[in-house]
Amino acid sequence: MEAMEVDSPGEMQGRGSRQPAAAAAAADANAPHVISDSGSSTELDEDDDEDNEGRRTAARAPSRLPATWAFSQRAVGSSAASYSTAQGAPIRRRLRQGLRVHYPSQTAAPSRGFPDFLLRAPAASVAEPGSGSTTEVSESEEEEEEERGDQEGTPAAPEPVVHVPPTGPRLSASAQHTQPQEAGATNSSSAADGERTDAKNQNVQPPHAEEGEGDICSICFEAWTTAGEHRLSALRCGHLFGFTCIQRWLKAQGPSAKCPQCNKKAKRSDIVLLYAPKLRALDNSEQESLKKSLEQEQSLRRKAELESAQYKLKLQVVTNKYGQAQQELQELRALMAHAGRSSVPSSSSSSSASTSLLLGLSQRADGSRTAQYSFSKAVLVSQAGGSRVLSYCEPLSCLLASQPSPHSTLVPGCGVKKVSVVNMKASQYVPIHSKQIRGLSFNRQNDSLLLSAALDNTIKLTSLLTNTVVQTYNAGKPVWSCCWCLDNSNYVYAGLSNGSVLVYDTRDTSTHVQELQPLRSRCPVASLCYVPRAASSSFPCGGLIAGSLEGGCFWEQVNETTYRPHALPLETAGCTDIQVETESRHCLVTYRPGRSNPSLRCVLMSLNRTPQQDSSQLPSCSCSPVQTFNAGSSCKLLTKNAVFKSPDGGGALVCAGDEASNSTMVWDAGSGSLLQKLPADLPVLDISPFSVNGEHFLASLTEKMLKLYRWE
């Protein structure tokens, strides 16, 4: 803090008498007396006044107080009053606005010395000074003012003017003074100062809050509406949000959800819709109508896509039939040309021969149209039962069926049984896991490397050439399904019991490289299928389809390390299996019986991708139903079904196990008609089509037996 000036009693006495000697003494004492300040407050203690009282003189120059604080004293009376002041009597001072006199005690004022004071300068009553401006008073002007005071009989004391900067940690150190005023105008100047202060106080208004500050949602910073999804709502704590914003917030937080503003615990049932009569809401009627029209347009588009998929499937069937008819026509023309070249005597014999050839050709044509699977052989896999999944190894021409160890005392655990499709006999057992196996898969490299998943929290890579496990990964939780990446054979996937999918790199033998978290619930991943990239206009992208008991999700593989999730529009309960036909870009979804549908249903769906409309909206992947196939009314086991191309090239076939009749049902995917019902002794758990040496087979697995059917 800087120093401040104080008018001493000696100076007042000198001005009242105006003696030459006193004037000379005052002229010699022009040097100011500086009183230091600590900076906390401007207070003059009585003890300091008592210590310095003996050293004061009558002709003392004005003492200096800090420039940021000031007080004004008015000397009223004659020279006798000034003489009494000099003798130590207390001085009565008139304090300006903002000055508070501080006494050592609340009951008695000090008997001598200057009063202790504190100055309160309200911000509204203090004028802002100009930057670096000062007010200087010349000596001549001071002398003129003093002469006027002598003539009028009233001494005028200079009033210090305090300039307090509005901002800044330190106050200005320069002492700024105004010209002295006449003593007779004391009351009028005080009144004028009071009026100016009141006017300044009236002019100073508190800053207004920004308009619309309380009319927006604190999550999305958009205005509330009176209708629609973003209407005004509140939590139990009282904070206001848009309905969709706070609903998504609490859903994303899960069971530990809290209010975004006060962090109090909240849940979705705490959301209350508010009906505020004074709410300044936006008129979103046009927006809502546009949303409805958009939904209608999207429903029409989905309907058109469904019809397009159905027509494409029918077109494929008709094209195949047309090819067969063209082939038959060429054979008939060749036969007729051969009959025309024959001689006349042998015309009867040639005609009979041509007739027999025509009959044989027609029989072959009718036989090709009515071709079906016929029973070939049954192979015992496990005497005690316990078989679960089935897969076909093309390089070794053998089927592999999971089963418990046939010698549990010597070799405990589970493994696979090799069944050769050349001689239709079971060859040997390969131990792999310690608990039940839930998934088997092969890649496209034809390296006889088997990927298996089991409930012992591991997935393993087994070489069937040496019948040994070459790599083991510990997932930490039971593994329900597995599959290979068909675009890059270095990656494999494992579906866990908590709904997550782990991505493994076979070049990294330590742990998984990525984890795909579930979008909805944490139900076990019952099925995993990879859709490879293809030059398809409807669905060109590749990725992973993960099916759980409460729906499915397609994880689009953007690059080797990035996966974009797309929730598939499936039913939220009862989904037991999802299989894919990669060439036609169709998937088969199986639902177990429920209240609304009392029978087992297999729904054939067409995968499609919505084109990107603008740069801000990413393309979405979805599926639409094409055909529905109904089976029996019982489904207690998580069975695996199959969708594949028909062996005759005429469309696709759908095969599913029926627990109610213990059989394998075969449908035509194009027409939806039931073609065959292949009987079995126990419920069919898994189905696998394969071909050997140009012949097509179908294998169905039960807990004990493996049945093989040949396409004829």
Side-chain angles (χ1 to χ4, degrees):
M1 297 292 288
E2 301 293 336
M4 57 184 177
E5 295 183 0
V6 182
D7 295 338
S8 63
E11 182 181 1
M12 294 180 58
Q13 181 180 3
R15 289 183 181 179
S17 61
R18 291 291 180 181
Q19 298 296 329
D28 295 338
N30 288 330
H33 181 68
V34 179
I35 302 175
S36 62
D37 191 9
S38 63
S40 59
S41 62
T42 307
E43 299 184 3
L44 299 178
D45 298 336
E46 283 187 3
D47 297 337
D48 296 339
D49 294 340
E50 291 176 359
D51 295 339
N52 297 329
E53 185 178 2
R55 289 175 292 180
R56 292 175 180 164
T57 60
R60 174 183 293 177
S63 301
R64 292 184 179 271
L65 293 177
T68 57
W69 309 94
F71 69 91
S72 174
Q73 64 179 11
R74 303 293 184 182
V76 182
S78 62
S79 59
S82 301
Y83 179 76
S84 63
T85 303
Q87 294 298 325
I91 302 175
R92 294 184 180 179
R93 301 177 185 275
R94 182 180 181 86
L95 303 181
R96 297 185 62 183
Q97 184 177 4
L99 184 65
R100 177 172 63 87
V101 179
H102 175 69
Y103 292 101
S105 64
Q106 298 181 358
T107 57
S111 60
R112 64 184 182 276
F114 292 149
D116 298 338
F117 63 92
L118 290 174
L119 181 61
R120 292 182 178 175
S125 63
V126 179
E128 278 188 35
S131 61
S133 62
T134 57
T135 304
E136 298 182 356
V137 181
S138 62
E139 295 181 357
S140 60
E141 292 177 354
E142 292 180 355
E143 292 176 358
E144 291 176 2
E145 293 294 331
E146 290 178 358
E147 290 177 0
R148 291 177 186 174
D150 294 341
Q151 292 175 3
E152 293 175 3
T154 305
E159 292 183 6
V161 179
V162 180
H163 293 280
V164 181
T167 58
R170 295 184 177 274
L171 301 175
S172 175
S174 61
Q176 302 176 358
H177 300 278
T178 59
Q179 295 182 1
Q181 299 180 356
E182 296 181 359
T186 303
N187 297 332
S188 61
S189 63
S190 301
D193 292 341
E195 292 176 358
R196 287 195 297 270
T197 304
D198 296 340
K200 291 178 182 179
N201 290 335
Q202 292 177 0
N203 292 333
V204 176
Q205 298 290 340
H208 294 283
E210 296 183 1
E211 294 185 358
E213 182 181 356
D215 298 338
I216 61 175
C217 175
S218 60
I219 298 178
C220 66
F221 299 100
E222 295 291 338
W224 299 315
T225 59
T226 56
E229 297 179 352
H230 201 258
R231 64 186 304 173
L232 181 63
S233 61
L235 292 176
R236 183 176 294 181
C237 57
H239 292 109
L240 304 178
F241 308 96
F243 179 74
T244 52
C245 293
I246 189 59
Q247 190 178 26
R248 291 174 184 171
W249 176 278
L250 298 179
K251 184 178 179 181
Q253 294 290 328
S256 61
K258 296 181 180 180
C259 174
Q261 291 191 0
C262 64
N263 261 356
K264 289 186 178 180
K265 289 186 177 180
K267 52 186 177 180
R268 297 178 66 181
S269 60
D270 295 339
I271 303 176
V272 179
L273 296 178
L274 300 182
Y275 302 88
K278 295 183 180 180
L279 174 66
R280 188 179 67 182
L282 297 178
D283 184 10
N284 64 336
S285 57
E286 184 177 359
Q287 183 180 4
E288 292 296 326
S289 63
L290 291 176
K291 284 183 179 180
K292 290 182 180 179
S293 62
L294 178 61
E295 292 176 356
Q296 293 176 358
E297 195 69 24
Q298 289 177 348
S299 63
L300 292 176
R301 181 178 56 81
R302 287 193 293 268
K303 184 178 180 181
E305 290 177 354
L306 174 60
E307 293 178 354
S308 175
Q310 291 177 348
Y311 288 139
K312 285 181 181 179
L313 194 60
K314 292 180 180 180
L315 177 62
Q316 186 178 0
V317 174
V318 172
T319 303
N320 295 330
K321 290 182 179 180
Y322 175 74
Q324 293 177 1
Q326 286 285 88
Q327 185 178 1
E328 293 174 4
L329 180 61
Q330 291 177 2
E331 292 179 358
L332 287 174
R333 285 178 180 177
L335 188 60
M336 292 175 65
H338 178 72
R341 289 194 300 268
S342 62
S343 59
V344 177
S346 60
S347 59
S348 59
S349 62
S350 63
S351 61
S352 63
S354 62
T355 304
S356 62
L357 288 174
L358 287 174
L359 290 174
L361 183 61
S362 62
Q363 287 176 0
R364 283 202 310 270
D366 294 339
S368 63
R369 291 193 189 97
T370 59
Q372 58 184 3
Y373 286 107
S374 60
F375 176 74
S376 177
K377 192 171 184 181
V379 180
L380 179 63
V381 177
S382 175
Q383 185 69 35
S387 297
R388 186 76 186 187
V389 290
L390 182 67
S391 185
Y392 176 68
C393 179
E394 186 175 357
L396 299 181
S397 298
C398 66
L399 287 167
L400 293 111
S402 67
Q403 68 165 106
S405 174
H407 307 286
S408 58
T409 56
L410 299 177
V411 185
C414 296
V416 293
K417 174 69 72 69
K418 286 184 178 181
V419 178
S420 175
V421 296
V422 178
N423 54 9
M424 301 297 178
K425 292 183 179 180
S427 57
Q428 60 185 137
Y429 168 79
V430 181
I432 301 177
H433 292 274
S434 60
K435 291 184 179 181
Q436 187 184 49
I437 298 176
R438 300 301 298 264
L440 298 174
S441 178
F442 286 96
N443 58 11
R444 291 182 174 181
Q445 299 299 318
N446 295 330
D447 52 3
S448 303
L449 201 60
L450 173 66
L451 174 66
S452 59
L455 300 180
D456 58 357
N457 303 347
T458 62
I459 62 172
K460 295 186 179 183
L461 296 175
T462 305
S463 175
L464 296 180
L465 298 176
T466 58
N467 295 335
T468 56
V469 177
V470 296
Q471 181 62 42
T472 301
Y473 295 100
N474 190 351
K477 293 184 180 299
V479 186
W480 281 53
S481 56
C482 63
C483 72
W484 288 84
C485 177
L486 300 182
D487 291 326
N488 190 346
S489 59
N490 292 322
Y491 293 95
V492 296
Y493 305 97
L496 306 185
S497 59
N498 62 349
S500 301
V501 177
L502 300 183
V503 184
Y504 290 91
D505 188 350
T506 56
R507 296 164 295 186
D508 184 2
T509 60
S510 58
T511 182
H512 61 275
V513 296
Q514 194 173 356
E515 181 178 0
L516 307 179
Q517 296 288 345
L519 296 181
R520 298 175 181 173
S521 62
R522 292 188 171 272
C523 291
V525 181
S527 61
L528 280 179
C529 298
Y530 191 87
V531 182
R533 294 184 179 91
S536 173
S537 59
S538 60
F539 197 78
C541 54
L544 183 70
I545 295 182
S548 64
L549 298 178
E550 295 189 358
C553 177
F554 175 70
W555 293 90
E556 179 185 0
Q557 188 176 15
V558 182
N559 50 51
E560 288 189 0
T561 59
T562 304
Y563 293 85
R564 184 183 299 128
H566 302 273
L568 298 179
L570 305 180
E571 297 180 11
T572 57
C575 179
T576 60
D577 182 59
I578 299 178
Q579 298 296 328
V580 174
E581 207 288 305
T582 57
E583 294 186 8
S584 63
R585 321 299 278 182
H586 286 78
C587 65
L588 182 67
V589 183
T590 304
Y591 298 101
R592 58 173 45 168
R595 294 181 179 178
S596 58
N597 296 283
S599 62
L600 176 71
R601 290 174 300 128
C602 297
V603 182
L604 184 65
M605 292 191 172
S606 174
L607 298 174
N608 53 70
R609 186 182 188 186
T610 304
Q612 186 173 2
Q613 299 177 357
D614 52 11
S615 58
S616 61
Q617 182 181 3
L618 296 175
S620 61
C621 299
S622 181
C623 61
S624 55
V626 177
Q627 199 70 255
T628 302
F629 312 96
N630 296 319
S633 59
S634 176
C635 182
K636 299 179 181 179
L637 302 173
L638 296 179
T639 61
K640 293 184 178 297
N641 303 321
V643 53
F644 53 94
K645 290 185 64 176
S646 177
D648 59 1
L653 297 179
V654 173
C655 295
D658 183 18
E659 290 186 14
S661 59
N662 289 339
S663 62
T664 302
M665 307 183 75
V666 183
W667 292 278
D668 182 11
S671 61
S673 59
L674 179 64
L675 300 180
Q676 282 183 273
K677 202 170 185 180
L678 307 176
D681 53 345
L682 292 173
V684 178
L685 301 177
D686 200 352
I687 299 171
S688 177
F690 63 94
S691 60
V692 179
N693 299 327
E695 293 183 338
H696 300 278
F697 294 88
L698 182 68
S700 63
L701 178 68
T702 63
E703 288 187 354
K704 296 182 179 181
M705 301 292 295
L706 176 65
K707 287 195 173 184
L708 301 175
Y709 301 89
R710 187 194 306 269
W711 179 264
E712 295 178 351

